[in-house]
Amino acid sequence: MDTSYLASVVKQFEYYKMLGEKAIAQLPDEALFWQYNEESNSIAVIVNHITGNMLSRFTEFLTTDGEKPWRNRDAEFEGHFANREEVMAHWEKGWYRLLTTLRDLDDDQLEAVVYIRNDGHTVMEAINRQLAHYPYHIGQIVYIAKMAANEKWESLSIPRNKSGDYNMRKFTQEKSRRHFTDDL
């Protein structure tokens, strides 16, 4: 098992990408565009925002400010997708940029300083900032999807009243060092 920080954060980001995708997959197309009220975001809008952030933060990550002049954050909260295919193509574009950038980094770059809106961060701090930000929004996607799917919802983690079964399976395995996502 690769125990480096970078390998671990890649696994974490891949896990949250998978959660978002499994939640979205449970919905009919129209549910991707539903919003509870005018102040709420639809799943499509959240995808647009996450992707805009990923593209801005992780394009030329080490050499330019993470808030790119071409980014229009406010426009990310306006709906502009016509269908599921457009939403998911945009989703993939953001995740590709993020994961490719992370996989190209070396441990010796973790203490380098990068900027986000002129605020200096070490590379590790900048990654941690996004590791908090994206799961926050993935949680919103999952919550909206769970409401929209209602009784058809299939759990993305340990289903209700199945913790005992899950723990029994886990504790019958040999103790070993592994990432919690290795079982997925």
Side-chain angles (χ1 to χ4, degrees), residues 45-63:
V45 165
I46 295 168
V47 166
N48 196 33
H49 169 58
I50 292 171
T51 299
N53 186 280
M54 289 174 175
L55 294 174
S56 184
R57 296 293 184 264
F58 292 97
T59 298
E60 300 172 346
F61 177 61
L62 296 173
T63 58

Side-chain angles (χ1 to χ4, degrees), residues 9 12 14 17 20 22-23 36 39-40 51 57 83 91 93 95 97 102 104 113-115 117-118 144 155 179:
V9 296
Q12 286 290 144
E14 288 173 335
K17 180 180 187 283
K22 284 188 171 187
Y36 176 73
E39 291 301 313
S40 301
T51 299
R57 296 293 184 264
N83 54 48
W91 169 270
K93 185 177 178 181
W95 285 102
R97 169 57 32 229
L102 293 178
D104 288 345
V113 175
V114 296
Y115 292 88
R117 294 187 181 106
N118 259 357
I144 294 167
S155 177
H179 196 271

Side-chain angles (χ1 to χ4, degrees), residues 16-175:
Y16 285 105
K17 180 180 187 283
M18 183 253 331
L19 286 180
E21 290 169 354
K22 284 188 171 187
I24 290 169
Q26 294 188 47
L27 299 177
D29 293 359
E30 64 273 7
L32 300 180
F33 303 94
W34 175 83
Q35 57 188 95
Y36 176 73
N37 61 30
E38 287 299 312
E39 291 301 313
S40 301
N41 295 314
S42 68
I43 289 173
V45 165
I46 295 168
V47 166
N48 196 33
H49 169 58
I50 292 171
T51 299
N53 186 280
M54 289 174 175
L55 294 174
S56 184
R57 296 293 184 264
F58 292 97
T59 298
E60 300 172 346
F61 177 61
L62 296 173
T63 58
T64 63
D65 194 283
E67 188 66 15
K68 303 297 185 281
W70 44 259
R71 182 181 185 203
N72 183 349
R73 184 183 179 280
D74 293 336
E76 293 167 11
F77 294 94
E78 299 169 6
H80 73 272
F81 298 115
N83 54 48
R84 173 185 297 269
E85 291 73 26
E86 289 181 9
V87 171
M88 297 313 294
H90 201 58
W91 169 270
E92 287 299 331
K93 185 177 178 181
W95 285 102
Y96 175 81
R97 169 57 32 229
L98 164 69
L99 294 170
T100 299
T101 299
L102 293 178
R103 288 183 181 117
D104 288 345
L105 292 172
D106 296 317
D107 288 341
D108 60 346
Q109 295 171 307
L110 293 175
E111 292 301 316
V113 175
V114 296
Y115 292 88
I116 301 173
R117 294 187 181 106
N118 259 357
D119 293 334
H121 299 63
T122 65
V123 166
M124 186 181 297
E125 289 170 335
I127 292 168
N128 287 344
R129 178 175 171 165
Q130 302 319 120
L131 192 54
H133 184 204
Y134 304 148
Y136 167 81
H137 289 302
I138 300 297
Q140 293 172 328
I141 289 171
V142 171
Y143 187 69
I144 294 167
K146 192 172 184 177
M147 288 189 301
N150 202 6
E151 70 278 350
K152 295 178 182 175
W153 178 254
E154 294 180 24
S155 177
L156 303 179
S157 61
I158 304 167
R160 277 185 196 204
N161 301 315
K162 297 293 183 185
S163 295
D165 296 343
Y166 180 81
N167 286 342
M168 186 180 341
R169 184 176 62 79
K170 292 297 284 184
F171 284 108
T172 59
Q173 298 173 351
E174 289 289 321
K175 283 186 180 186

